Amino acid sequence: MGHTHALSGAAAWLLVAPGLVALPGLTALSGLTGDLTPVVANALSPAELVAGTLVCAGAAMLPDLDHPHATIAQTFGPATWVLSKAVNWASGGHRHATHSLAFAIAAGLGAHLLADHYSIGRDVVVILMIGLALRSIGIGIPGKTITSAMVNIGLTAIAFILLHSAHVGYLWLGFAISIGCLAHVVGDCLTERGCPVLWPLRHRWLLPWKIGIKTGRVFEIKILGPVLSVVVIGLFAARLMPSF
């Protein structure tokens, strides 16, 4: 389900984010403000950590844009529904091309190139990911598609403005997108249907082998969801405390 994917993406980001500053090209610029004044030279700033968590949580929903009838396709109303229809057609239907290692790599590389060369394109990606993250955790009004979309648009705009005012850098954007997509694929490999991880090969992977979790049942709702929530809160506290 959406909230499980989003929480798994957030947890994955919080687990790996501290290690990203060791990568070439990220260490020197992480934690820099818009005027290039160093804030934290060897770690992501608190604002970057929050931004990355939102982006990775949203990216963990990105593969499901191949499902026009999913709630997530209504995030920004007709705009995301049309996008979902296009993704569904291009990918061959639900749980095909977008649920693969190739898609995760391509999405991350594309986001990295946008962040590197086109600030407007980068901002569109960030806004979409924030919107997907907020919608996946239940932001909206049941039965009110357009009203829910408007609420989501407003909250997404506020979040993006706050991050922009904090001078967040996005050199890590591609990594966050890939990590979120991979978290989604791993999650779906735990279900009965599995995923074509090595698409275009059609074989579907299931983890653990031949033991599929039933989506939306008691285990996911009563156990997995709460456990992931505690993990995300705990990791947030652990990552942010050294900054204060």
Side-chain angles (χ1 to χ4, degrees):
M1 297 176 66
H3 63 273
T4 305
H5 281 308
L7 288 171
S8 66
W13 171 257
L14 291 168
L15 281 170
V16 306
L20 292 180
V21 294
L23 296 175
L26 287 178
T27 304
L29 293 178
S30 66
L32 298 184
T33 63
D35 59 1
L36 299 183
T37 302
V39 176
V40 181
N42 60 353
L44 296 174
S45 71
E48 287 171 329
L49 191 67
V50 172
T53 302
L54 286 172
V55 168
C56 201
M61 288 306 306
L62 193 58
D64 270 353
L65 276 177
D66 66 359
H67 192 343
H69 299 297
T71 301
I72 204 71
Q74 314 302 324
T75 299
F76 293 144
T80 40
W81 182 81
V82 171
L83 175 61
S84 182
K85 291 287 285 186
V87 172
N88 177 268
W89 173 82
S91 65
H94 184 46
R95 287 208 190 190
H96 288 285
T98 62
H99 288 65
S100 67
L101 180 62
F103 177 79
I105 294 173
L109 181 59
H112 176 73
L113 293 174
L114 281 174
D116 230 11
H117 302 292
Y118 304 101
S119 59
I120 294 178
R122 174 204 64 202
D123 290 346
V124 169
V125 171
V126 171
I127 289 170
L128 177 61
M129 294 306 105
I130 293 174
L132 291 176
L134 294 178
R135 191 70 184 92
S136 66
I137 61 174
I139 301 296
I141 302 172
K144 303 289 184 180
T145 301
I146 300 300
T147 305
S148 295
M150 295 304 294
V151 169
N152 193 278
I153 289 170
L155 292 176
T156 299
I158 291 171
F160 180 76
I161 291 170
L162 289 174
L163 293 175
H164 184 72
S165 66
H167 302 292
V168 170
Y170 289 104
L171 289 177
W172 45 261
L173 183 62
F175 291 101
I177 297 293
S178 285
I179 291 167
C181 291
L182 286 173
H184 184 110
V185 171
V186 171
D188 277 357
C189 282
L190 292 171
T191 66
E192 291 180 310
R193 292 182 58 193
C195 288
V197 177
L198 297 181
W199 180 92
L201 298 180
R202 295 184 178 183
H203 175 72
R204 289 177 177 265
W205 290 35
L206 288 81
L207 303 171
W209 190 251
K210 295 184 180 179
I211 302 177
I213 296 173
K214 294 182 181 296
T215 304
R217 301 294 179 88
V218 173
F219 176 77
E220 181 179 9
I221 297 174
K222 300 294 186 180
I223 300 176
L224 186 58
V227 167
L228 282 173
S229 298
V230 172
V231 169
V232 169
I233 293 171
L235 287 172
F236 245 129
R239 299 301 183 230
L240 290 177
M241 276 194 295
S243 301
F244 295 100

